[in-house]
Amino acid sequence: MPASATWKSTPGPKLAALALFSAGEAAAHSFAQPYQLPMPYWMYIYGAVAALALSFVVVGLFVGAGAANQPAQSLPLGDSRAIKALRRLRLLHIAKLLSVMALLLCIASGLLGTRDPYRNINMTFFWLVFALGFSYFTALFGNWYAVLNPWKLLAEGVGKCCRNFIRGRFRYPPQLAYWPALALYMAFIWLELLGNTRPFSLSVALLVYSLINLAGVYLVGLRSWFQYCEFFAVFMRLLALLAPLRYRPDATGPQRLCLRWPGAGILEERAEHFSLLLFLLFMLSSTAFDGLRETALWFNLFWKDPTGIVEWLAGKQPMLAYPWLRPWYVLYESLWIVASPFLYLALFWLFLGLGKWLTRSPMPVSQLALHFAYSLLPIVLVYHFTHYYTLLLSQGVKIRALISDPFGWGWDLFGTAHTLRAPLLPDMGLVWNIQVWMILLGHVASVYLAHRIALQLFPSQRQATLSQLPMLMLMVLFTGAGLWILAQPLQGN
């Protein structure tokens, strides 16, 4: 989930003017100051293409149908002594209580505390600790959100007071599938990127979202709402497929907690509906769009108006009509947010169609898309991480100080109010190299997983390998696009 825009003010006229004279192409994206890449950009692209091609050859030669058809190995941990000891400490009950308290604190601090987003705990906790940090936690340690979801816990609490509340009044319509979750996810991204949220408005949004969840549970029941409609639940459940630790709250005995190979969950499931495929593609496209919209190239495309279209519509130069054009610019970006997953879908559909044509497969592209959808999850994770992990170092570490003074009233409850106030700023060269390697590793993982899925779908290894040639081209395209966005100068640099 994008989070960078939350910590940047809405572009004003001064910033717009600066963007017209932004730095040259050598200034790398995601840095607070221009950074000269160690090597020309094209060398990174060539290296990434070569690495992807080599990984494709290696996977094609050494991963055969026999390996693909083997059941995923896992090590049950649910009955281990350590887990039993932790269960006796009732840590899960404590974690549930803390989850609800954290939500209530975020709401209360925004309504009653300081309006300074850097001194109010709700901005840092919700956008960075929860939306970013817990996403990465889920990708490593499994879907603990399924039991720690504060909105689900609130609904269960209401259900204990009001009989039949969590059963719902109507049967969930199958045709709705995951469309409500996708709509709420898009609304969340719009609020984050274009809503210019501050502590008070964030608390209002959290209150509204809490009421939506309670109303949804009342209408269609607890299970259906949090299976199909609550977008954080869907988002975390997808990321958990990558986790080497699988946690299933509905299971019993040793199978409740298992250790497995990273990404093994992707080989055990497939997307069940077209709306879930679009949801996954939006996880990818919203991150890419957030990175793109922060670049000078994107900003200048509208405000510098190289085509002259905006000036023709406004009757004057865009910069001179800024107050009038600003709402239209928000609408312009809103339309791109909604359109972004469909653009990715078109690419995904095209390359899958090429694979179908090469193999003469009778399976329709719609079914191939559902089978291969989860193979994109490693790319989703690395795009998310490379774009936002520096925010955890620059602002996320301040949560230690904010815990002692959540309302910004000058408290020091735990003696940490004056610690870790300065951001941790790693060397920019290190940041860039981590971004490059993470993007490359994510695409290599997707190549491997897509090949394993192809071996399960196609009758021969030759057909499976042929089907993946277009997918390799798609991975190359995604890799190039990801590195290109990161290498672009930011607005105002």
Side-chain angles (χ1 to χ4, degrees):
M1 298 180 186
S4 60
T6 305
W7 301 101
K8 297 180 177 68
S9 299
T10 302
K14 291 184 179 179
L15 179 57
L18 285 172
L20 300 184
F21 305 100
S22 56
E25 295 298 324
H29 180 48
S30 297
F31 304 117
Q33 63 190 75
Y35 168 63
Q36 184 72 33
L37 299 181
M39 296 186 297
Y41 167 72
W42 62 265
M43 292 186 68
Y44 286 99
I45 295 298
Y46 284 1
V49 170
L52 283 173
L54 179 62
S55 66
F56 177 82
V57 172
V58 170
V59 169
L61 289 176
F62 294 101
V63 180
N69 293 325
Q70 290 179 358
Q73 297 181 349
S74 62
L75 177 64
L77 302 174
D79 284 344
S80 65
R81 291 182 179 179
I83 298 302
K84 288 181 178 178
L86 291 174
R87 195 177 297 130
R88 283 194 292 270
L89 293 174
R90 296 188 175 274
L91 293 182
L92 198 57
H93 292 80
I94 297 173
K96 288 180 179 180
L97 177 62
L98 291 176
S99 175
V100 175
M101 289 177 62
L103 173 62
L104 296 178
L105 176 61
C106 282
I107 294 173
S109 62
L111 296 177
L112 304 175
T114 177
R115 298 298 187 258
D116 184 349
Y118 293 94
R119 293 174 53 226
N120 194 308
I121 195 173
N122 78 341
M123 294 287 287
T124 297
F125 186 87
F126 179 76
W127 293 116
L128 299 183
V129 176
F130 172 65
L132 290 187
F134 199 80
S135 297
Y136 305 147
F137 177 89
T138 300
L140 289 174
F141 299 106
N143 190 20
W144 293 92
Y145 183 76
V147 291
L148 300 179
N149 184 337
W151 292 286
K152 185 177 181 181
L153 294 171
L154 284 175
E156 289 174 343
V158 174
K160 291 179 181 179
C161 301
C162 304
R163 277 189 174 185
N164 301 324
F165 175 78
I166 63 174
R167 293 184 180 180
R169 297 297 178 271
F170 307 99
R171 181 175 176 272
Y172 187 76
Q175 61 271 23
L176 277 182
Y178 293 90
W179 293 112
L182 178 60
L184 288 172
Y185 189 15
M186 286 184 170
F188 168 80
I189 295 299
W190 186 94
L191 179 70
E192 185 180 6
L193 299 185
L194 306 177
N196 193 25
T197 55
R198 290 296 181 265
F200 183 82
S201 57
L202 175 58
S203 290
V204 172
L206 289 174
L207 273 174
V208 171
Y209 189 63
S210 299
L211 293 175
I212 289 173
N213 277 293
L214 291 175
V217 170
Y218 176 79
L219 290 174
V220 300
L222 186 83
R223 185 180 180 279
S224 294
W225 180 260
F226 288 101
Q227 174 72 23
Y228 298 106
C229 305
E230 204 274 294
F231 78 92
F232 282 119
V234 178
F235 183 89
M236 299 298 181
R237 191 163 65 244
L238 291 177
L239 285 183
L241 295 175
L242 294 163
L245 196 65
R246 181 183 64 189
Y247 176 69
R248 295 188 297 180
D250 55 339
T252 57
Q255 295 299 325
R256 187 177 177 89
L257 189 67
C258 294
L259 192 64
R260 61 186 180 182
W261 288 106
I266 292 173
L267 301 175
E268 298 171 358
E269 300 184 29
R270 54 157 269 179
E272 59 187 276
H273 194 270
F274 179 74
S275 56
L276 186 58
L277 168 63
L278 268 182
F279 187 99
L280 189 152
L281 290 172
F282 189 61
M283 292 169 68
L284 186 61
S285 67
S286 60
T287 304
F289 177 73
D290 183 31
L292 180 62
R293 70 181 292 271
E294 292 298 328
T295 65
L297 177 66
W298 174 267
F299 198 79
N300 292 344
L301 187 63
F302 186 94
W303 294 106
K304 199 171 183 178
D305 192 24
T307 63
I309 295 177
V310 179
E311 183 177 352
W312 177 72
L313 292 172
K316 60 177 71 174
Q317 291 182 2
M319 285 306 305
L320 300 177
Y322 181 86
W324 181 78
L325 282 177
R326 176 62 193 169
W328 290 100
Y329 183 64
V330 172
L331 176 61
Y332 168 75
E333 291 200 308
S334 301
L335 293 175
W336 278 109
I337 289 175
V338 175
S340 64
F342 294 95
L343 296 177
Y344 273 73
L345 176 66
L347 282 174
F348 192 48
W349 209 272
L350 171 63
F351 285 96
L352 284 175
L354 288 175
K356 171 181 168 63
W357 176 77
L358 282 174
T359 58
R360 301 294 189 267
S361 172
M363 187 177 296
V365 177
S366 58
Q367 289 301 311
L368 289 172
L370 295 180
H371 280 289
F372 284 103
Y374 287 167
S375 67
L376 298 176
L377 279 171
I379 303 176
V380 169
L381 178 63
V382 297
Y383 270 37
H384 195 276
F385 181 79
T386 54
H387 278 79
Y388 306 123
Y389 82 97
T390 53
L391 283 173
L392 292 175
L393 299 177
S394 60
Q395 178 64 28
V397 295
K398 297 179 183 179
I399 192 67
R400 176 182 166 91
L402 293 169
I403 286 174
S404 284
D405 187 17
F407 293 87
W409 290 345
W411 294 352
D412 193 3
L413 298 176
F414 306 106
T416 62
H418 304 289
T419 61
L420 287 180
R421 284 187 173 275
L424 300 178
L425 298 176
D427 176 73
M428 290 186 290
L430 176 64
V431 171
W432 169 253
N433 285 317
I434 289 175
Q435 290 174 327
V436 171
W437 280 107
M438 288 296 295
I439 285 180
L440 181 58
L441 289 174
H443 285 81
V444 169
S446 286
V447 167
Y448 169 76
L449 291 168
H451 184 75
R452 288 283 303 269
I453 294 170
L455 288 171
Q456 296 172 358
L457 290 179
F458 295 95
S460 69
Q461 186 168 348
R462 178 179 177 276
Q463 278 187 302
T465 303
L466 275 177
S467 74
Q468 292 311 290
L469 284 173
M471 287 295 287
L472 175 63
M473 296 166 58
L474 181 62
M475 299 303 172
V476 168
L477 181 61
F478 281 165
T479 302
L483 292 177
W484 179 82
I485 290 174
L486 289 173
Q488 294 306 300
L490 288 170
Q491 299 173 25
N493 279 349

